[in-house]
Amino acid sequence: MDLTAHQSAILPEDAERATLIARIHDPESKGPVVVALRGDELADLTHHTATVADLLDRPGAAEFARLAPAARTWSADAVLAATLAGRRDVPHYLAPCDLQVLKACGVTFVRSMIERVIEERAAGDPARAAAVRERVREVIGGHIGDLVPGSAEAARAKEVLIAEGLWSQYLEVGIGPDAEVFTKAPVLSAVGVGADIGIWSRSTWNNPEPELVLAVDAKGRAVGATLGNDVNLRDVEGRSALLLGKAKDNNASTSIGPFIRLFDEHFTVDDARDLDISLTITGTDGFTLESVSSLREISRDPLDLVSQAMGRLHQYPDGIMLFTGTMFAPTQDRDAPGQGFTHHLGDVVRISSPRLGTLVNTVAHSEQAPPWTFGVRALMSNLAARGLL
């Protein structure tokens, strides 16, 4: 994988001030360990807090992560090197979340909203996408980007689009009162930094979705943030929105990490609202793609998305990890003119933000990626055997 094994390669630029927590797999314990990054070391906090979900629910979670006595430590460089080398016989990084439900919001940026309309109109056929894209933009133009979802102006725009024959379920959640919120993947199924990221072998039109992911505690409070890749199979979802489960929830199709940065005096929700998230794709064929998404262009405030995902109506006693959507909609041609971008096996996908670090994964077929075998029962059994429950 194209990434140095030095820890600085995945750290935020202000790592010395950041409160960063993660999970690693420890072969000696035969299970996961909750850790906090302290300088060059990963400090084991598991004897205080058996799960990340427990840690996030603690009052003063950031101070606890910084100051709680560590049972033992590991070299952060050594753990990253093992992770990138694919070694599983020594400590290596996992996704930094555990018992939280993996939720996602879609169509929260205008650019991606328009591309979803195009997918639907093209019925998952990339060859038809260019013509549909031109027609949609003739009608929509740039004006829709100024709409406040759920407003009277948005309702009037809906009437115009219906009259033009261009209304779509994606426009409904993009400018209507209710955000799209769905369950992205099962609890504990996310992969972390250095892992393979999976696409269905039958998919011929797909892309990464670089996103801000909010860590939300059991009371519905956003207490931290990280990066995520909400992999999307455009041809599958484009055929029918009822295929969303097959487009989104596949083995290794959810990547989160490398750390959860807890909100504290140095990094707040307002800082998260101001993030730029960059994406770099490097193919074994020499293809490269670079893009930047700005959270400043999101149509719905991240905390509004949290409130729509979790509350009296939707309750999650172990918290959630909430993907907040992406403005990335790749139209750069890769294989043939007019067909846009799609992944090739072996693509290295790097998602970065100066305040959150770098999440890097390599594209593989979901069927061939390492199988997910460590579920909730395995976690509970392991923690019980270690005397942590």
Side-chain angles (χ1 to χ4, degrees):
M1 180 175 289
D2 181 23
L3 189 74
T4 174
H6 192 276
Q7 187 73 8
S8 61
I10 64 171
L11 289 178
E13 63 182 13
D14 59 340
E16 72 283 354
R17 299 195 308 168
T19 306
L20 301 172
I21 61 171
R23 288 166 68 242
I24 65 174
H25 177 81
D26 174 32
E28 180 180 330
S29 302
K30 300 180 181 179
V33 176
V34 179
V35 296
L37 182 68
R38 297 175 179 173
D40 297 328
E41 294 184 327
L42 296 170
D44 179 3
L45 305 181
T46 316
H47 59 299
H48 298 295
T49 179
T51 67
V52 170
D54 289 330
L55 192 159
L56 297 183
D57 277 348
R58 280 177 170 264
E63 182 178 13
F64 166 80
R66 290 193 297 265
L67 301 177
R72 49 185 170 163
T73 60
W74 293 269
S75 161
D77 283 345
V79 172
L80 180 61
T83 304
L84 298 181
R87 292 190 60 184
R88 297 296 177 261
D89 59 326
V90 292
H92 55 273
Y93 279 111
L94 304 170
C97 52
D98 43 42
L99 293 178
Q100 299 90 343
V101 176
L102 305 179
K103 305 292 288 188
C105 294
V107 203
T108 57
F109 289 83
V110 171
R111 187 189 304 173
S112 66
M113 177 179 66
I114 293 172
E115 284 301 310
R116 292 296 179 273
V117 175
I118 291 164
E119 287 170 14
E120 183 180 50
R121 296 286 167 175
D125 181 0
R128 295 176 54 196
V132 177
R133 185 176 293 113
E134 182 61 27
R135 171 63 181 143
V136 170
R137 287 180 176 167
E138 282 178 7
V139 176
I140 294 177
H143 306 296
I144 205 166
D146 299 325
L147 295 175
V148 176
S151 66
E153 291 79 8
R156 286 193 290 271
K158 175 178 178 177
E159 293 175 0
V160 172
L161 290 162
I162 290 174
E164 290 285 340
L166 286 174
W167 184 250
S168 162
Q169 59 199 337
Y170 295 107
L171 290 168
E172 177 65 47
V173 296
I175 63 176
D178 299 313
E180 178 190 15
V181 185
F182 58 94
T183 300
K184 164 64 179 178
V187 171
L188 286 172
S189 67
V191 299
V193 65
D196 286 345
I197 191 76
I199 57 172
W200 192 9
S201 61
R202 285 173 50 185
S203 174
T204 58
W205 190 24
N206 47 69
N207 62 263
E209 291 194 350
E211 303 188 20
L212 170 72
V213 181
L214 293 176
V216 183
D217 70 9
K219 294 183 179 179
R221 300 173 300 192
V223 294
T226 185
L227 299 169
N229 187 350
D230 175 17
V231 178
N232 184 42
L233 308 183
R234 301 186 72 180
D235 49 353
V236 177
E237 185 179 357
R239 284 193 286 131
S240 171
L242 298 181
L243 294 173
L244 182 65
K246 288 193 174 183
K248 291 289 190 179
D249 181 9
N250 301 299
N251 184 45
S253 66
T254 305
S255 178
I256 297 177
F259 304 93
I260 294 174
R261 181 167 186 173
L262 299 181
F263 293 138
D264 57 17
E265 66 272 24
H266 301 298
F267 183 69
T268 66
V269 171
D270 283 339
D271 292 316
R273 290 185 174 108
D274 197 45
L275 291 176
D276 289 330
I277 297 177
S278 64
L279 170 73
T280 302
I281 302 170
T282 306
T284 59
D285 57 351
F287 175 88
T288 59
L289 184 151
E290 296 183 352
S291 178
V292 177
S293 297
S294 172
L295 266 293
R296 292 181 293 278
E297 297 185 41
I298 199 167
S299 302
R300 301 180 191 270
D301 185 77
L303 293 189
D304 174 53
L305 296 175
V306 172
S307 69
Q308 293 210 36
M310 184 174 174
R312 294 288 297 274
L313 181 61
H314 305 288
Q315 299 176 15
Y316 301 99
D318 299 306
I320 64 174
M321 299 296 292
L322 183 65
F323 284 76
T324 56
T326 185
M327 66 180 288
F328 176 65
T331 58
Q332 178 180 335
D333 291 333
R334 183 174 195 175
D335 296 323
Q339 296 211 4
F341 170 84
T342 195
H343 270 309
H344 288 189
L345 295 180
D347 282 352
V348 175
V349 180
R350 184 181 288 105
I351 298 171
S352 302
S353 184
R355 306 297 299 278
L356 295 177
T358 297
L359 174 65
V360 60
N361 302 100
T362 301
V363 173
H365 283 148
S366 290
E367 301 94 319
Q368 302 303 319
W372 172 42
T373 59
F374 198 88
V376 175
R377 288 185 300 170
L379 176 62
M380 294 300 104
S381 296
N382 175 263
L383 294 178
R386 293 157 61 185
L388 296 171
L389 291 183

